[in-house]
Amino acid sequence: MKSVILIVVAALSSQTCLGVKYEPNWNSIDSRPLPAWYDGVKIGMFINWGVYSVPSYSNEWFWYSWKGPKPDPRVVKLMEQFYPPTFTYADFAAEFKAEFYDPIKWVDIIKSSGAKYVVLSTKHHEGFTMYPSKYSFNWNSVDVGPNKDLIKYIFAYLAGSDVHFGIYHSLFEWFNPLYLQDKANNYTTQRFVKEKGMAELYEIVDMYRPDVIWSDGDWEALSSYWNATNFLAWLYNDSPVKDTVVVNDRWGYDSRCKHGGFLSCDDRFNPGKLQKRKWENAMTLDRYSWGFRRDASIADFLSMEELLETVLNTISYGGNILINVGPTGYGTISPIYEERFRQLGSWLKVNGEGIYATQPWVHQNDTVTPKVWYAAPKADKKAAYAFFINWPDNNELVLGAVSGSSLSGVALVGSNKTLTWETSGTGIKVTIPPHNIVEMPCMWAWSVKLTFK
Ligand SMILES: *[C@@H]1O[C@H](CO)[C@@H](O)[C@H](O)[C@H]1NC(C)=O
Ligand SMILES: *[C@@H]1O[C@H](CO)[C@@H](O)[C@H](O)[C@H]1NC(C)=O
Ligand SMILES: *[C@@H]1O[C@H](CO)[C@@H](O)[C@H](O)[C@H]1NC(C)=O
Ligand SMILES: *[C@@H]1O[C@H](CO)[C@@H](O)[C@H](O)[C@H]1NC(C)=O
């Protein structure tokens, strides 16, 4: 009898108001519900910045493209033509001065973009930490280059705003001798994990208390090599951010697209249909690079139409979108990025009611008109938004997925204009104002609010 009571008490205490205790295995880690803020905010800004922002050519894999096993001839040629033969990649760190870095201006751009979370790189595969890591002696932004902690001011100026602060961190490092030794041992040793890779993550959580941990550089090894479930169990049970933090899925090649928090799968992941799990489309405004490129042309950047199309199809299929900017080595966000982000913000000021705190609707895209996407506010079961990329020539928007019999009204978002509509086939045909700047609430991608009986 006594032992029965004890068992009941034990079972209750592991699952009650004290909270669930997560175990260091994927079943347990995966059972943690994502903190709700993440699904509500939808739009994030990704900032990929590091020593590679100095050569700013090819992409953020510059060092590997130069000295890795399969050198990129363009990168090799650049180095041969313009640098002395004694020049090493580490010498770029001295040129990483971030002399025009103005975190107040960065935070202004972040806030005005409408992004509600930001993910800042603390370390890429080159191993250079953007903060004074005690595990990265002489290869961090305080000891060399900018002589500044490049994380803390962004974090400080965002404090108290509605923008969540997150970090990007690469587990592996291309050329770290400790890592290469573990790799040569077929990952049967874990010195790099203990002394560098994972040690930094504990340090970052302790120093900056991020709400997002965006892990990367996991793919050469199993999650057991990275000791990932041990870290995540600590993060979810005992860390200072245990109630708010969200993580992605890049914790080892057995984990990607399967385990962890939200699914980021591959870069620019965009499955084009509803997913069972929460997912994120991490994508770039520069089609070819996450890091800044000095030789980029305007055509390399997504137009506003292309960006908004990606935003809308991501959100209608239940994803979040994380939009990347690559700042310069001298510390600025270049005007083309700034313009895109401010334009996105102006668009969200008008159309954000159909974006933030929404969920996928019955239909994700329209059955008749191409490039029409839907989303529904979580708080209002009797409403949905239809977004359209192309303003129809005849000012008649056909929505094949909307049944006229259940509809009570249609309004153009941002103008308070009630629109007339009629049944058309299985759907409806909405009369919208003529295509001109006076009538249109914004310049690209519009939406109508559908209200149901
Ligand atoms: C390396 O480790 C993996 C995973 O444990 C194993 O499948 C593989 O056979 C090992 N390879 C060698 C060469 O020992
Ligand atoms: C893995 O995590 C556990 C729990 O924190 C710790 O005891 C162990 O030393 C870690 N192993 C490595 C190689 O870091
Ligand atoms: C809607 O999405 C589905 C799935 O991606 C696609 O096959 C279909 O062509 C889309 N419909 C229109 C009208 O674009
Ligand atoms: C729409 O109506 C609301 C409430 O009447 C008003 O505050 C808002 O300024 C109007 N918006 C536009 C674009 O006319």
Side-chain angles (χ1 to χ4, degrees), residues 24 62 74-75 106 120 133 201 266 268 270 313 319 340 369:
F62 187 92
R74 293 182 316 142
V75 169
W106 284 34
L120 197 56
S133 171
L201 272 184
D266 298 315
R268 304 177 183 82
N270 196 351
N313 65 38
R340 286 292 181 278
T369 307

Side-chain angles (χ1 to χ4, degrees), residues 105-170:
K105 179 154 187 214
W106 284 34
V107 166
D108 181 57
I109 296 171
I110 294 166
K111 286 181 179 168
S112 70
S113 75
K116 299 296 177 204
Y117 63 113
V118 60
V119 177
L120 197 56
S121 57
T122 56
K123 185 192 83 175
H124 194 253
H125 316 325
E126 62 189 12
F128 185 88
T129 63
M130 304 289 276
Y131 69 98
S133 171
K134 62 173 180 277
Y135 305 105
S136 195
F137 175 73
N138 225 17
W139 193 230
N140 68 69
S141 65
V142 174
D143 289 347
V144 269
N147 300 127
K148 282 192 191 77
D149 182 330
L150 298 171
I151 305 295
K152 82 171 175 192
Y153 296 101
I154 301 290
F155 175 62
Y157 291 128
L158 282 175
S161 76
D162 63 351
V163 181
H164 295 258
F165 174 82
I167 62 92
Y168 165 99
H169 174 266
S170 171

Side-chain angles (χ1 to χ4, degrees), residues 90 170 252 287 311 363:
S170 171
R287 297 170 213 276
V311 167
H363 290 266

Side-chain angles (χ1 to χ4, degrees), residues 37 42 64 67 83 116 154 168 237 277 343 367 401 423:
W37 72 262
K42 307 294 182 194
Y64 198 74
K67 296 289 184 188
Y83 292 85
K116 299 296 177 204
I154 301 290
Y168 165 99
N237 292 330
R277 292 256 303 260
Q343 287 174 331
T367 49
T423 307

Side-chain angles (χ1 to χ4, degrees), residues 57 66 72-83:
Y57 180 65
W66 181 25
D72 175 345
R74 293 182 316 142
V75 169
V76 174
K77 186 163 170 245
L78 180 93
M79 294 311 295
E80 281 172 0
Q81 263 188 306
F82 298 103
Y83 292 85

Side-chain angles (χ1 to χ4, degrees), residues 233-249:
W234 170 79
L235 189 70
Y236 292 173
N237 292 330
D238 301 314
S239 80
V241 289
K242 64 187 170 67
D243 298 324
T244 49
V245 74
V246 298
V247 305
N248 66 346
D249 56 349

Side-chain angles (χ1 to χ4, degrees), residues 34 38 46 117 168 212-219 247-251 255-271 275 277-283 290 319-320 322:
L34 268 190
Y38 177 76
F46 208 174
Y117 63 113
Y168 165 99
V212 184
I213 295 181
W214 214 102
S215 176
D216 194 24
D218 59 308
W219 56 80
V247 305
N248 66 346
D249 56 349
R250 299 189 182 184
W251 301 100
S255 152
R256 187 182 283 223
C257 226
K258 231 189 243 155
H259 297 303
F262 61 84
L263 303 183
S264 65
C265 302
D266 298 315
D267 294 357
R268 304 177 183 82
F269 178 57
N270 196 351
Q275 304 292 295
R277 292 256 303 260
K278 182 68 194 181
W279 61 279
E280 182 188 77
N281 179 359
M283 47 74 74
W290 298 83
N320 273 23
L322 186 62

